[in-house]
Amino acid sequence: MSGMTGKNSITSRQFNRGLILQLIATQTCRSRIELSKTTGLSKMTVTNIIAEFIQQGLVKECEEELTEVCGRNPILLKISEKAPKILGLLISRDRIEAVVCTLEMEILDSERISFTHLTEAELYEDCFQVLDRLLERTEKILGIGIAAIGPVHIRKGMILNPPRFYEIKNIKIVEVLKEKYRLPVLLEHDNNSAALAEKLFGMGKDVQDFLFLGISNGIGCGIISNGKLYRSHRQLPPEIGHISIERKGLLCACGNRGCLELYANTSVVLRKLQKETGEDLSFAEFCQMQGNRGTDEIFSEMLEDISTGLVSVMNLFHPEMIVLGQDCMDWSETQVKALEEQINVRKMVHDQKMIPVKKAYFGKKVQLAGAAANVAAEAFKGNLLF
């Protein structure tokens, strides 16, 4: 299993503890024997680490697993209820949302503030409000993870200049939250965060290369390559929404012309659907409307546009899977299969391997879970807790 081998040296103490915590939290391994086999660490090393975890309140032993073979049944290991929790913060164009999650990425509590206009001061105040409400009801916090619209500068902890974000720029979100809460704060792009959550806990657990595609009032993606989150040297995420599908097309706020998200984001498609039908329905309701020639043509055009941009990225990274999130969760299975067929017909490498298209394990909460997953990922590297 790639990236799961432990290190038998004194200097690798943190790494081994993070790795074992990850294997338990993601339910990849459920017993000491499985942990030893997966990591290559000695049974004594694993036993000693688990003993520390139990003493620290990170892990608990569960009931014995019933087997029909002779001998003692293995004791199951699980993250303890006493283990520290994670705060996840999602910053979007229309809302600030926060959650409390376990290390197993179970959402325990949430708060949300929606808006149609925002200043930088109001952005900070909204973040404080949702986090303060959760902190009033939660003890023992490991850290705060942020999933934000991009572009973001990871090293500087800043949200830079997102298009259509009320002219707010260069937001020092990590510095501000660290100063107020005195906790570790991890910032990542919202779609990268979603991809990370799906890699650690969701559809991508057993996949080394996949692409997460999120569609709402924008279109974005996150890429897992060789089992790791892809970022450029400047720590910038990929921007599939700003691939041009029409050279002389509409002018985008990013400065490019014909950007994919100008033609196929939810808001644009919804306006077309409402104009075509005269019905004031939601995007989700239109997705379930089958057999209407006008709406079917609009969705067909949407899928064609998306597949055009998607195949361009696929030909660069050659993913094993496409994971859909955000408003794609409203698509019917017919629409999902239509996209799957189109990308497999149009991809460059025509071998016997079909590239499946799946909906995200975390559904519409995938970016929110991803915010918390940013902190969990650091703990799994041994950089927190140990």
Side-chain angles (χ1 to χ4, degrees):
M1 191 177 294
S2 178
M4 293 297 182
T5 304
K7 300 178 181 179
N8 287 294
S9 68
I10 296 174
T11 58
S12 59
R13 181 181 186 277
Q14 290 175 252
F15 176 88
N16 288 338
R17 279 151 181 77
L19 175 58
I20 287 179
L21 183 69
Q22 175 181 345
L23 293 171
I24 296 171
T26 59
Q27 300 180 31
T28 304
C29 295
R30 303 177 66 197
S31 68
R32 291 170 175 82
I33 293 174
E34 289 181 350
L35 287 167
S36 181
K37 288 180 179 178
T38 300
T39 63
L41 295 171
S42 69
K43 293 179 182 178
M44 181 60 70
T45 298
V46 170
T47 296
N48 289 339
I49 292 174
I50 294 301
E52 288 179 26
F53 284 2
I54 292 173
Q55 185 177 16
Q56 294 167 355
L58 289 175
V59 168
K60 68 177 182 179
E61 296 178 317
C62 303
E63 70 279 0
E64 294 184 346
E65 187 178 56
L66 299 177
T67 64
E68 296 180 358
V69 298
C70 297
R72 185 177 177 183
N73 294 313
I75 301 295
L76 302 185
L77 301 169
K78 188 175 176 62
I79 297 296
S80 170
E81 295 85 356
K82 299 177 183 178
K85 305 302 185 290
I86 300 171
L87 288 177
L89 181 69
L90 175 63
I91 299 176
S92 297
R93 287 185 176 87
D94 60 353
R95 71 191 186 281
I96 301 291
E97 198 167 356
V99 289
V100 176
C101 287
T102 67
L103 283 168
E104 296 171 299
M105 223 39 52
E106 177 188 358
I107 296 176
L108 303 176
D109 199 357
S110 64
E111 288 284 347
R112 172 176 174 147
I113 294 176
S114 299
F115 45 77
T116 55
H117 184 268
L118 199 67
T119 64
E120 184 173 354
E122 289 169 340
L123 170 64
Y124 292 135
E125 184 58 34
D126 287 349
C127 290
F128 297 157
Q129 281 193 42
V130 293
L131 292 173
D132 287 347
R133 290 172 193 166
L134 293 178
L135 284 167
E136 288 175 1
R137 307 191 291 263
T138 311
E139 298 179 357
K140 206 173 180 182
I141 297 296
L142 178 60
I144 301 171
I146 306 169
I149 56 172
V152 297
H153 196 302
I154 304 300
R155 291 195 187 98
K156 292 184 178 180
M158 294 173 60
I159 303 171
L160 297 178
N161 57 334
R164 306 186 308 281
F165 195 53
Y166 316 106
E167 303 300 321
I168 305 175
K169 300 178 182 178
N170 301 321
I171 305 157
K172 298 179 180 179
I173 189 67
V174 170
E175 178 184 316
V176 169
L177 294 186
K178 275 186 176 180
E179 183 177 344
K180 179 172 175 62
Y181 295 107
R182 305 298 176 184
L183 287 167
V185 180
L186 286 304
L187 170 66
E188 185 53 86
H189 188 274
D190 53 2
N191 290 308
N192 270 0
S193 301
L196 185 61
E198 290 294 317
K199 173 57 185 169
L200 291 173
F201 302 94
M203 297 299 297
K205 279 181 67 173
D206 300 320
V207 179
Q208 291 302 300
D209 300 278
F210 72 88
L211 184 149
F212 171 83
L213 178 69
I215 302 178
S216 58
N217 53 9
I219 297 179
C221 74
I223 293 173
I224 298 294
S225 180
N226 289 323
K228 297 181 179 179
L229 187 63
Y230 168 80
R231 296 195 200 101
S232 71
H233 176 69
R234 295 177 59 199
Q235 303 291 294
L236 296 172
E239 293 286 357
I240 192 172
H242 296 282
I243 287 178
S244 177
I245 62 170
E246 180 60 55
R247 183 168 60 89
K248 295 183 179 180
L250 300 171
L251 179 64
C252 182
C254 74
N256 195 11
R257 284 192 176 274
C259 288
L260 172 62
E261 70 174 40
L262 296 180
Y263 300 88
N265 77 46
T266 305
S267 299
V268 169
V269 175
L270 180 57
R271 286 196 295 270
K272 290 180 181 178
L273 292 165
Q274 290 174 339
K275 182 178 179 180
E276 170 66 27
T277 64
E279 299 282 349
D280 187 21
L281 301 177
S282 67
F283 181 76
E285 290 170 326
F286 277 118
C287 286
Q288 302 306 314
M289 185 184 291
Q290 303 289 322
N292 181 300
R293 182 177 177 181
T295 59
D296 286 350
E297 287 181 356
I298 291 170
F299 275 116
S300 178
E301 184 179 21
M302 178 188 191
L303 294 174
E304 287 177 9
D305 288 342
I306 291 168
S307 66
T308 299
L310 195 51
V311 168
S312 296
V313 179
M314 289 173 61
N315 288 340
L316 291 173
F317 290 94
H318 305 291
E320 302 169 72
M321 177 188 293
I322 306 298
V323 179
L324 302 176
Q326 294 180 287
D327 293 338
C328 297
M329 300 305 298
D330 295 323
W331 287 0
S332 68
E333 286 306 308
T334 300
Q335 291 160 337
V336 173
K337 285 298 178 184
L339 180 63
E340 183 177 270
E341 290 173 6
Q342 288 184 34
I343 63 170
N344 279 283
V345 167
R346 300 174 66 174
K347 67 179 181 177
M348 179 181 175
V349 179
H350 286 282
D351 51 16
Q352 299 300 313
K353 185 174 176 58
M354 284 281 292
I355 308 301
V357 177
K358 304 288 185 182
K359 290 184 178 181
Y361 171 81
F362 286 102
K364 289 198 171 185
K365 296 289 186 182
V366 63
Q367 292 176 313
L368 200 50
N374 292 326
V375 176
E378 286 300 299
F380 297 160
K381 294 174 186 174
N383 296 334
L384 298 176
L385 283 173
F386 314 116

